[in-house]
Amino acid sequence: MKLAHFLSCELVSRMKDQVLISNAQQRETGKVNAAILRAVKEGIFEFVFEIVKADPQLVWSGDSKSRNIFSVAVQYRHAKIFSLIYGLDIKTALARYPDSFYKNNLLHMAGMSAPSTALNDIPGAALQMQRELQWFKEVESIVPSKVCSHLNKEGLTPRELFTKNHKDMRKDGEQWMKDTATSCTVVGALIVTIMFAAVFTVPGGILTSRYAEEDFLESLPRKMIIGLSTLFFSIAAMMTAFSAALFLMLHEQSWIFKPVICLASIPITLFVLMQFPLLVAMANSTYGPSIFDRKMKRWF
């Protein structure tokens, strides 16, 4: 692994040296632009950064449809490469120009469906929808206002393109939210039956509401975080009360008390193990560090 990393760094260093001494014709012959765009598609940040840092004009490198490296980074959802745009003073210019074929600008690219490989590590359709909205909002925050109303070849604005391409994901996210809330409500109902004379519901009416796209950005995750946190607290309180009651009744018969507690803990433990990672993932995605490096230092 170390040898492969060393060889990769050496290759990048030599390519950077060649970029510095080559002219436009030599770069075209050597397919430098094609190599950069391929690296962007694959998300190879170190290669892209070192090469464009050697010659910042290469940020204008375009593919056959005139899409620059940042348009490609958005299309393939590589946040680290896209964040290089924050280190440039020309980000507005880079964001303004549409491609030559579909007339899609940078925000249109954020409105396209992400490749499946970009979403594989994100659990659940709702969190995937949230990530797509985060991308769209991030790109929207840096483009000129005119870009937001620009029409592509299909006559669609970036927002309309986003809605069109994410219609199925929104429906899947809605169903995922309801299914998750239902499973939590069943457990909550059991807790109510055992301990409380009250009604347990996931906060915010998740089971009955219809969702807008924007709800997936923060509103729905926040409600689910509150619901899951409350549920885990209720489970802990229930087990504490249950254990205390058994201990008071059977403290002289520990051979009965301990096995009963262990058996009762098994389904609770399994449920928590299944749902707690979801709570952590949702909290990190909603309130954790951004995937974008807005504090990128100027490198050109």
Side-chain angles (χ1 to χ4, degrees):
M1 183 65 70
K2 290 183 178 180
L3 178 60
H5 179 71
F6 171 78
L7 293 175
S8 298
C9 292
E10 185 67 20
L11 176 61
V12 171
S13 178
R14 294 194 178 189
M15 288 191 67
K16 183 172 66 173
D17 293 339
Q18 290 300 313
V19 166
L20 288 171
I21 63 175
S22 61
N23 55 39
Q25 181 60 42
Q26 290 171 326
R27 291 175 187 176
E28 181 65 26
T29 303
K31 297 185 178 180
V32 173
N33 288 1
I36 294 173
L37 291 167
R38 178 62 182 272
V40 173
K41 290 179 181 179
E42 299 296 331
I44 308 174
F45 172 79
E46 292 79 8
F47 178 89
V48 176
F49 180 57
E50 292 298 331
I51 298 300
V52 298
K53 188 177 179 181
D55 184 0
Q57 292 302 318
L58 288 172
V59 298
W60 295 98
S61 299
D63 61 10
S64 59
K65 298 181 179 66
S66 302
R67 293 176 296 191
N68 61 48
I69 65 171
F70 295 109
S71 291
V72 176
V74 172
Q75 180 183 1
Y76 288 89
R77 303 299 194 264
H78 293 305
K80 196 171 182 180
I81 295 176
F82 173 74
S83 294
L84 289 174
I85 202 170
Y86 292 108
L88 296 171
D89 290 334
I90 57 172
K91 54 179 173 286
T92 300
L94 286 164
R96 181 181 293 121
Y97 294 105
D99 67 61
S100 60
F101 190 78
Y102 295 107
K103 305 301 180 184
N104 287 325
N105 58 39
L106 191 64
L107 192 54
H108 278 109
M109 303 307 291
M112 297 175 66
S113 299
S116 59
T117 52
L119 301 174
N120 286 341
D121 295 332
I122 303 175
L127 289 181
Q128 292 175 358
M129 184 67 180
Q130 182 191 46
R131 178 56 55 84
E132 288 291 85
L133 280 165
Q134 288 171 342
W135 264 101
F136 190 85
K137 291 292 185 181
E138 189 69 22
V139 176
E140 187 178 42
S141 70
I142 68 168
V143 300
S145 57
K146 291 182 179 179
V147 170
C148 299
S149 57
H150 174 78
L151 301 180
N152 66 3
K153 191 175 181 179
E154 297 179 81
L156 299 175
T157 65
R159 188 72 205 200
E160 290 169 343
L161 183 64
F162 182 93
T163 299
K164 175 186 175 183
N165 288 333
H166 293 83
K167 180 171 58 177
D168 291 338
M169 182 180 286
R170 185 190 64 78
K171 290 180 180 178
D172 292 342
E174 182 175 330
Q175 189 60 48
W176 183 88
M177 274 287 187
K178 290 181 178 179
D179 290 344
T180 304
T182 298
S183 66
C184 293
T185 302
V186 170
V187 175
L190 293 175
I191 295 174
V192 170
T193 302
I194 296 172
M195 295 191 61
F196 306 106
V199 177
F200 178 93
T201 58
V202 178
I206 286 182
L207 290 175
T208 57
S209 300
R210 292 193 61 82
Y211 315 139
E213 288 176 355
E214 295 294 326
D215 292 338
F216 288 92
L217 190 60
E218 186 171 343
S219 175
L220 285 173
R222 181 176 63 248
K223 291 175 182 178
M224 186 62 74
I225 289 169
I226 294 173
L228 286 172
S229 300
T230 304
L231 179 59
F232 290 148
F233 178 79
S234 300
I235 289 173
M238 180 191 70
M239 290 304 299
T240 301
F242 179 67
S243 300
L246 277 183
F247 178 76
L248 291 174
M249 291 187 297
L250 304 172
H251 65 279
E252 294 180 354
Q253 297 174 299
S254 60
W255 64 275
I256 297 178
F257 166 70
K258 292 180 180 179
V260 169
I261 293 296
C262 291
L263 289 173
S265 299
I266 291 175
I268 298 296
T269 301
L270 291 175
F271 178 80
V272 171
L273 288 176
M274 287 189 295
Q275 297 295 345
F276 188 73
L278 172 62
L279 174 61
V280 173
M282 194 166 289
N284 284 337
S285 181
T286 306
Y287 300 110
S290 172
I291 61 172
F292 305 100
D293 185 6
R294 302 184 186 98
K295 297 181 180 180
M296 171 74 68
K297 294 181 180 179
R298 181 175 176 178
W299 53 272
F300 167 56

